[in-house]
């Protein structure tokens, strides 16, 4: 009789061990995103109209960079350096955004002030506010010697009576046979803001035909206004003009700035 019984399997009742698990995937996304956003945010922060976007991207870069550093410390990421750089750039982007934002707001405020000055503060006051040398009201639309024009921002311009002027040897603007006359122009800043007088323009016409009276330049006249007049201060400059020999009057026009209306003085020679 043949033996038909089978031997029990060797593995019967024995412990079975599974294969070792796969390594956890590297999670570098936060650090990379922080670095990219930090770079973009820093560049964008320098753009005046996009400073707010630069600051926002900087904030995101800072948060993602700190989270990325946390992952690297736990061994879940390998780009700790990129995460750190992204966080630093994010902080820089936020600072740049704030600085550029403040500068932009200030520039806009200055522009609005200039616009308001143009529309409200640069026209002469009512003619009844024009004062002559004695402080009396002057009703004439065109002023005479010694009278003042007062603008709405309390800038006051006064032109003196003309006097004979002797041009220097190397004077420019004087024609032989013509006469020369000088006037002094005083600008007083009674307002609250400093006034830049470098843009003051002065022109003149002479005689009944109103021919252009050329300005004379020499060592005694013609330098013009060239400084800032502080509140409560004034500046006086001498101008000389070349006029026809038979001219009986000199009309001087003063424009304090491109934002101001012109004012005229009719001066007897």
């Amino acid at each position: 009789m043949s033996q038909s019984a089978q031997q029990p399997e060797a593995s019967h009742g024995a412990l079975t061990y599974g294969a070792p698990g796969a390594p956890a995937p590297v999670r570098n996304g936060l650090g990379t995103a922080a670095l990219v956003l930090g770079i973009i945010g820093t560049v964008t922060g320098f753009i005046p109209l996009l400073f707010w976007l630069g600051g926002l991207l900087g904030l995101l870069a800072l948060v993602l960079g700190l989270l990325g550093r946390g992952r690297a410390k736990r061994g879940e990421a390998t780009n700790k350096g990129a995460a750190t750089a992204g966080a630093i750039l994010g902080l820089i982007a936020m600072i740049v955004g704030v600085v550029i934002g403040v500068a932009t707001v200030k520039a806009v405020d200055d522009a609005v002030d200039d616009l308001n000055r143009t529309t409200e503060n640069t026209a002469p006051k009512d003619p009844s506010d024009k004062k002559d040398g004695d402080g009396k009201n002057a009703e004439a639309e065109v002023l005479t010697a010694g009278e003042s024009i007062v603008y709405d921002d309390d800038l006051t311009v006064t032109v003196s009576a003309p006097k004979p002027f002797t041009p220097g040897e190397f004077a420019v603007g004087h024609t032989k046979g013509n006469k020369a006359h000088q006037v002094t122009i005083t600008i007083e800043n009674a307002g609250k803001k400093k006034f830049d007088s470098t843009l003051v323009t002065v022109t003149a016409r002479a005689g009944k035909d109103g021919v252009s009276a050329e300005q004379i330049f020499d060592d005694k006249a013609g330098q013009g206004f060239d400084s800032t007049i502080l509140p409560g201060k004034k500046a006086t400059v001498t101008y000389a003009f070349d006029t026809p020999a038979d001219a009986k009057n000199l009309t001087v026009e003063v424009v304090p700035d491109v934002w101001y209306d012109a004012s005229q003085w009719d001066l007897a020679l």
Side-chain angles (χ1 to χ4, degrees):
M1 182 176 178
S2 62
Q3 186 176 359
S4 60
Q6 297 182 355
Q7 295 293 329
E9 294 181 0
S11 61
H12 180 71
L15 295 176
T16 304
Y17 297 95
V26 176
R27 304 169 64 189
N28 289 336
L30 291 179
T32 302
L35 182 60
V36 172
L37 291 177
I39 295 174
I40 297 175
T42 301
V43 174
T44 306
F46 282 101
I47 302 175
L49 297 181
L50 296 178
F51 64 89
W52 59 271
L53 180 58
L56 179 60
L57 293 178
L59 177 61
L60 292 175
L62 178 61
V63 173
L64 294 181
L66 294 177
L67 293 176
R69 281 175 53 85
R71 280 187 177 179
K73 288 181 178 181
R74 296 191 299 271
E76 300 174 1
T78 58
N79 61 345
K80 181 179 179 181
T84 302
I88 294 174
L89 288 174
L91 182 60
I92 294 174
M94 292 174 62
I95 295 174
V96 170
V98 171
V99 172
I100 299 300
V102 171
T104 301
V105 171
K106 185 178 185 303
V108 172
D109 286 343
D110 291 343
V112 171
D113 289 342
D114 288 342
L115 181 61
N116 290 337
R117 180 183 177 188
T118 303
T119 57
E120 298 177 3
N121 295 331
T122 60
K125 290 185 177 180
D126 186 84
S128 62
D129 290 335
K130 298 175 183 177
K131 299 178 181 180
D132 58 20
D134 297 327
K136 298 178 180 178
N137 291 334
E139 297 180 357
E141 183 175 357
V142 177
L143 292 86
T144 58
E147 290 184 335
S148 301
I149 185 73
V150 182
Y151 289 86
D152 286 346
D153 59 353
D154 292 325
L155 189 75
T156 303
V157 182
T158 308
V159 178
S160 72
K163 297 179 181 179
F165 178 77
T166 302
E169 180 181 359
F170 302 103
V172 176
H174 178 59
T175 301
K176 186 177 181 180
N178 285 353
K179 292 184 178 180
H181 300 273
Q182 72 177 43
V183 297
T184 56
I185 299 177
T186 301
I187 298 179
E188 180 178 3
N189 183 9
K192 298 180 179 179
K193 296 183 178 180
K194 61 184 180 180
F195 173 72
D196 183 2
S197 68
T198 57
L199 295 181
V200 173
T201 58
V202 179
T203 56
R205 293 186 176 276
K208 60 181 181 179
D209 295 329
V211 297
S212 177
E214 188 171 354
Q215 185 176 344
I216 300 173
F217 296 88
D218 67 2
D219 58 340
K220 296 176 289 185
Q223 283 75 21
F225 292 91
D226 59 359
S227 62
T228 298
I229 305 176
L230 298 176
K233 302 296 182 179
K234 64 176 64 175
T236 300
V237 173
T238 298
Y239 287 81
F241 298 98
D242 188 62
T243 66
D246 60 349
K248 302 300 182 182
N249 73 297
L250 179 69
T251 301
V252 176
E253 181 176 277
V254 180
V255 183
D257 197 339
V258 294
W259 307 112
Y260 288 74
D261 293 339
S263 298
Q264 294 182 335
W265 283 257
D266 190 16
L267 311 174
L269 297 177

